[in-house]
Amino acid sequence: MITTVIRKDILPGRILYYILLLLAITRSSYSVRCNRIIDGTTRPRSNAEEKYYFFMTLYNRTDIVYAYMPDTKYTVTIMSKSPGLTPRKFTRFLISAETESDSEIVDIGVFDIMDESISKFADQCANAVVEISEVPKERVSVAWTSPSEGSGCILIRATILETPDTWYMDDSNLVLNICQDIKAEADDQGLVLPECCACDEAKYEVTFEGLWSRNTHPKDFPSKGWLIRFSDVIGASHTVDYRFWIYDGMASIGLKQVAELGSTRRLESELKDQSEHIRTIIKARGISYPNVTGRTFAVFRVDRKHHLMSLVSMIDPSPDWIVGVSGLELCLTNCSWIEHKELNLYPYDAGTDDGITYLSPNSPTEPQEPIRRITSNYPNDSRSPFYDPSGLDMKPLAKLYLNRQRLYEKTCNDLPTEITDTEACRVTSWGDWSECTVTCGKGSKLRQRHYRNETAAIANKCNTSLTDRTTCYGDLQW
């Protein structure tokens, strides 16, 4: 709690000043509207297009960003465009942050001064930075720490004054509409449910989109563009107790062949051998030069038992690197199915080859190592094309889009429940004997019984005898 003590000997005007100052301090990181027109202008504003750059980068970095990560420090910069020999210069500026709506009171982040000889906090606005002096400038930068999670979009605006007659404000190139980076959400695979309570079955389309390019991952990007591709995509919808690849697990022979050769044949055979765990085998064509940033598609189905999805694709060229997802949950706790999901895909080392660069010669890893995520600091080797000494998160190499296309209505009574093998294989009592197969001489007759839950018995591969046969003779009563 803040307690304000007002002295009687302070003049009423000064009391108002201190009240306004207190309000400004207590709301300094929240959206407050202010007059962004710089004092002293003598004419209407001019058009700033093709005259100035206004952009944001990570603090002490050069890559321009268009969205913010919560509680992260950035650099906001005004820079003049100078197509001629004489550079364009400005004398005054104001950089402010606020929300789009006047009624919103939300966190809009905090500015900080990078060079106290150039800029200072504005007197007229609690959320703005202005110049120290009217010395002509070509460039100015201020620091901005983004707001906390869930603060929404922030408008960072620049007002630039060259002379009282020439000034700029609110042009599209002087406004940054910065929203929270959805990358964080697209990086979250979500939790796996031990059981799915959805009765309906669902059909999905999965889209695999390549993002890997010289622009997104420039370090040591392969110079021979025609070599670049993502191999055929292979995967499955499957049960909760099955994975054909696991983060930090060991690669099978089939996965090794995908990771090193881009061949899916052996892995597909391995999936077919696990048919009791698989609902749909997912297959999509690979994408290659010159369309490596294109898309490829597949469809698959899920049900109450097979509610997870996994897939992989090789990054080529590489020693044994893959992108993919293992055990993505599509069932919701409210007994329905996810309608739409986007997921960023990052590189993994399959642990079968020691190569460190895209074009490293074959060097089998002996003994084989677990599958591990490749990051900007793993492996900690400057030769890695993804190595970054700053440790910043790398950009994804690919992205998955899952869209639910259709629901198949089922009732829970039609579906097997989770029961033990003994319960699944329970049978009814024997029925009556059939008539003898002959009316004279030696023949046979039979009787039958049935599984109490035929669907569960099939799912559990029960082999209890359901038919009993015996010898009979025509006209002989039993």
Side-chain angles (χ1 to χ4, degrees):
M1 182 177 72
I2 299 175
T3 302
T4 303
V5 179
I6 301 176
R7 291 168 45 193
K8 294 182 179 179
D9 59 336
I10 297 179
L11 296 176
R14 188 166 293 275
I15 292 174
L16 178 60
Y17 169 79
Y18 281 117
I19 291 174
L20 292 175
L21 180 62
L22 179 62
L23 288 173
I25 293 172
T26 56
R27 297 184 64 189
S28 60
S29 62
Y30 291 84
S31 181
V32 181
R33 285 288 184 264
C34 70
N35 181 9
R36 294 180 291 105
I37 299 176
I38 296 175
D39 293 339
T41 58
T42 57
R43 290 189 178 183
R45 64 186 179 90
S46 302
N47 191 328
E49 291 183 10
E50 302 302 323
K51 297 175 182 176
Y52 287 95
Y53 298 104
F54 187 47
F55 57 91
M56 187 170 82
T57 62
L58 279 167
Y59 191 71
N60 286 336
R61 299 279 292 181
T62 58
D63 296 338
I64 295 176
V65 297
Y66 303 94
Y68 71 83
M69 293 178 287
D71 303 308
T72 302
K73 196 170 186 178
Y74 295 91
T75 301
V76 179
T77 300
I78 300 171
M79 186 172 69
S80 65
K81 294 184 179 181
S82 303
L85 296 177
T86 303
R88 178 179 295 277
K89 295 187 178 182
F90 57 98
T91 57
R92 302 183 66 186
F93 69 90
L94 182 145
I95 299 175
S96 66
E98 56 193 23
T99 58
E100 292 181 293
S101 172
D102 291 330
S103 61
E104 288 184 290
I105 301 179
V106 296
D107 187 0
I108 48 87
V110 178
F111 283 116
D112 197 5
I113 305 301
M114 295 180 63
D115 188 339
E116 293 183 352
S117 67
I118 294 177
S119 54
K120 65 177 182 178
F121 294 110
D123 294 330
Q124 73 271 31
C125 296
N127 51 341
V129 176
V130 296
E131 78 288 340
I132 286 283
S133 70
E134 297 186 23
V135 174
K137 313 162 186 63
E138 296 178 40
R139 177 181 181 134
V140 65
S141 295
V142 299
W144 178 70
T145 300
S146 60
S148 57
E149 179 84 23
S151 296
C153 297
I154 309 299
L155 291 175
I156 300 180
R157 294 184 169 110
T159 303
I160 301 172
L161 185 142
E162 296 175 356
T163 69
D165 291 345
T166 308
W167 62 283
Y168 314 95
M169 185 179 78
D170 289 342
D171 296 282
S172 60
N173 61 316
L174 298 183
V175 178
L176 302 177
N177 189 358
I178 306 295
C179 300
Q180 184 174 329
D181 193 349
I182 61 172
K183 174 179 176 293
E185 181 179 348
D187 283 346
D188 183 11
Q189 182 171 326
L191 299 176
V192 172
L193 303 178
E195 294 183 2
C196 174
C197 60
C199 296
D200 294 341
E201 298 180 5
K203 178 181 178 182
Y204 283 92
E205 178 184 68
V206 56
T207 301
F208 179 100
E209 178 184 34
L211 303 176
W212 178 40
S213 72
R214 190 180 303 278
N215 292 328
T216 59
H217 300 84
K219 186 175 185 294
D220 299 331
F221 192 79
S223 58
K224 298 178 180 179
W226 61 89
L227 296 176
I228 300 165
R229 68 168 183 141
F230 289 102
S231 74
D232 288 350
V233 178
I234 185 164
S237 57
H238 54 86
T239 58
V240 72
D241 58 347
Y242 173 74
R243 304 285 193 282
F244 68 86
W245 77 284
I246 306 175
Y247 310 130
D248 297 321
M250 304 300 285
S252 67
I253 295 175
L255 185 64
K256 176 182 177 181
Q257 291 187 2
V258 172
E260 294 186 3
L261 306 174
S263 172
T264 61
R265 183 175 301 176
R266 177 63 181 265
L267 182 54
E268 183 176 355
S269 177
E270 291 177 359
L271 292 173
K272 289 179 178 178
D273 288 342
Q274 297 293 326
S275 59
E276 69 271 21
H277 296 292
I278 304 294
R279 173 61 192 265
T280 306
I281 292 180
I282 301 169
K283 298 169 66 176
R285 289 188 176 184
I287 48 179
S288 57
Y289 177 86
N291 194 37
V292 75
T293 55
R295 294 184 171 192
T296 187
F297 308 86
V299 294
F300 65 95
R301 286 180 64 166
V302 290
D303 56 37
R304 192 178 190 181
K305 182 179 179 182
H306 310 87
H307 50 99
L308 303 186
M309 187 273 284
S310 303
L311 57 75
V312 291
S313 175
M314 176 197 183
I315 303 166
D316 194 11
S318 76
D320 61 340
W321 302 341
I322 56 174
V323 291
V325 60
S326 175
L328 177 64
E329 179 64 81
L330 298 176
C331 187
L332 297 173
T333 55
N334 64 359
C335 304
S336 62
W337 296 100
I338 288 174
E339 292 188 18
H340 177 77
K341 174 72 176 177
E342 297 181 12
L343 189 68
N344 291 326
L345 301 182
Y346 297 90
Y348 283 83
D349 186 324
T352 62
D353 191 290
D354 286 334
I356 200 72
T357 68
Y358 288 122
L359 297 172
S360 292
N362 289 335
S363 178
T365 302
E366 296 180 357
Q368 183 175 327
E369 295 180 355
I371 300 167
R372 291 195 61 177
R373 163 82 184 274
I374 299 173
T375 67
S376 58
N377 53 29
Y378 177 82
N380 189 18
D381 189 321
S382 61
R383 294 175 298 165
S384 169
F386 307 109
Y387 176 78
D388 185 340
S390 69
L392 288 174
D393 290 342
M394 72 166 66
K395 295 179 180 178
L397 270 73
K399 192 167 189 175
L400 285 186
Y401 302 86
L402 289 109
N403 290 293
R404 195 182 73 195
Q405 291 188 323
R406 182 178 174 185
L407 288 176
Y408 298 87
E409 187 175 347
K410 303 284 184 179
T411 64
C412 286
N413 292 333
D414 296 334
L415 300 172
T417 56
E418 294 295 327
I419 52 182
T420 66
D421 290 348
T422 301
E423 291 173 327
C425 298
R426 289 180 61 189
V427 294
T428 63
S429 300
W430 286 108
D432 295 334
W433 287 106
S434 67
E435 293 184 0
C436 191
T437 56
V438 297
T439 57
C440 182
K442 185 178 180 179
S444 64
K445 61 181 180 179
L446 57 85
R447 60 180 180 177
Q448 291 183 314
R449 58 185 177 182
H450 305 279
Y451 289 116
R452 293 184 181 275
N453 188 331
E454 186 173 355
T455 305
I458 293 173
N460 285 273
K461 295 187 175 182
C462 299
N463 59 0
T464 304
S465 175
L466 300 178
T467 302
D468 184 21
R469 190 181 302 271
T470 190
T471 301
C472 64
Y473 297 88
D475 295 329
L476 180 64
Q477 298 297 317
W478 289 78

